[in-house]
Amino acid sequence: MTADISRSIRFRGIAFLTPIDHRKATRRLLLAYGVSLFLFALWPTLDLRVSALFHTEGAGFTLAAVPALHVLRETVWNLSIAMFALSLGALGLAAFGRAIPGFEARTAGFVFLLYLLGPILLVNGLLKRFWGRARPADITEFGGSREFTPPWLPADQCAANCSFVSGEGSAATALLLSLLVLAPALRGFLPPAAFRVYLGLAILLPAMGIALRVATGRHFLSDTVFAVLFVLTIALVLHRLLLTPRTP
């Protein structure tokens, strides 16, 4: 879906992205789910092996103590909060007939519902609250006291704010998609060089934010992979409902 959205930034309008082939996007998404489930089921220690790349015996996940990386993480998180707040404000303005050009009611509704249904309700409200998977830094393999459990099985190793799935990873994915949704409108206001920088940062910052959750021992690889997939699924449904032009 991300590739389809990226191609839409060739710009054929302000309020909507160019049409997405939802059937093709759905097939690709289902394939991604299948490959991910098969990979982590076939190789259950993959999460441990990836996390071990960033763990030092006796020192833990050392990247977690790097100030610059902490600033980067906070930047991505704050951008997500700002985007959610902006979408809510844009919806309010649209309700009073003062819609922001390029961020009209449907576009703002897409962004608002993407965050609400994904990171807020599904991820933090349900999965992280009840799945019970311990974070990498808390399991015995990396100096903690909890047991490692695979991503597809609910566990009892964590009581709250657990590892599966990544909350910040889901928010970063929502941020990336939101920034791409806004790209067609911004292209009309930004110089070409500035627009290319915008697109680069729109992809790079969220991607780095997701990677940092693994590198700092806060999440397993599978936590981030499925966080991305869940948000993409919600985005695909919302795009079909809100951002696809209707044929009379």
Side-chain angles (χ1 to χ4, degrees), residues 35-54:
V35 170
S36 300
L37 287 169
F38 177 78
L39 184 62
F40 288 107
L42 181 68
W43 194 4
T45 60
L46 177 60
D47 274 329
L48 294 174
R49 290 180 178 272
V50 172
S51 293
L53 296 175
F54 305 99

Side-chain angles (χ1 to χ4, degrees), residues 107-129:
T107 307
F110 172 87
V111 174
F112 174 77
L113 289 174
L114 183 61
Y115 276 100
L116 179 66
L117 298 177
I120 295 175
L121 294 180
L122 175 63
V123 175
N124 285 288
L126 182 62
L127 293 175
K128 290 175 68 65
R129 186 176 180 183

Side-chain angles (χ1 to χ4, degrees), residues 4 12 17 23 37 73 88 101 105 115 133 160 174 190 198 218 242 248:
D4 290 314
R12 289 173 52 193
L17 299 173
R23 290 185 179 180
L37 287 169
R73 174 209 169 192
L88 184 58
Y115 276 100
R133 191 187 199 192
L190 295 176
Y198 171 86
R218 301 306 296 160
L242 296 175

Side-chain angles (χ1 to χ4, degrees), residues 42-125:
L42 181 68
W43 194 4
T45 60
L46 177 60
D47 274 329
L48 294 174
R49 290 180 178 272
V50 172
S51 293
L53 296 175
F54 305 99
H55 183 267
T56 302
E57 189 69 29
F61 291 91
T62 55
L63 290 180
V66 177
L69 297 182
H70 179 72
V71 171
L72 176 59
R73 174 209 169 192
E74 289 294 319
T75 298
V76 176
W77 181 245
N78 289 333
L79 285 173
S80 287
I81 295 174
M83 181 62 72
F84 180 69
L86 179 62
S87 69
L88 184 58
L91 279 174
L93 289 173
F96 289 98
R98 303 177 65 88
I100 301 173
F103 206 16
E104 289 86 356
R106 287 181 177 270
T107 307
F110 172 87
V111 174
F112 174 77
L113 289 174
L114 183 61
Y115 276 100
L116 179 66
L117 298 177
I120 295 175
L121 294 180
L122 175 63
V123 175
N124 285 288

Side-chain angles (χ1 to χ4, degrees), residues 201-225:
L201 291 176
I203 296 171
L204 183 61
L205 282 178
M208 293 179 66
I210 293 171
L212 278 178
R213 303 309 287 157
V214 178
T216 56
R218 301 306 296 160
H219 284 288
F220 293 106
L221 176 64
S222 59
D223 296 331
T224 59
V225 168

Side-chain angles (χ1 to χ4, degrees), residues 142-155:
F142 301 122
S145 59
R146 302 295 183 178
E147 293 181 9
F148 169 77
T149 56
W152 61 85
L153 290 178

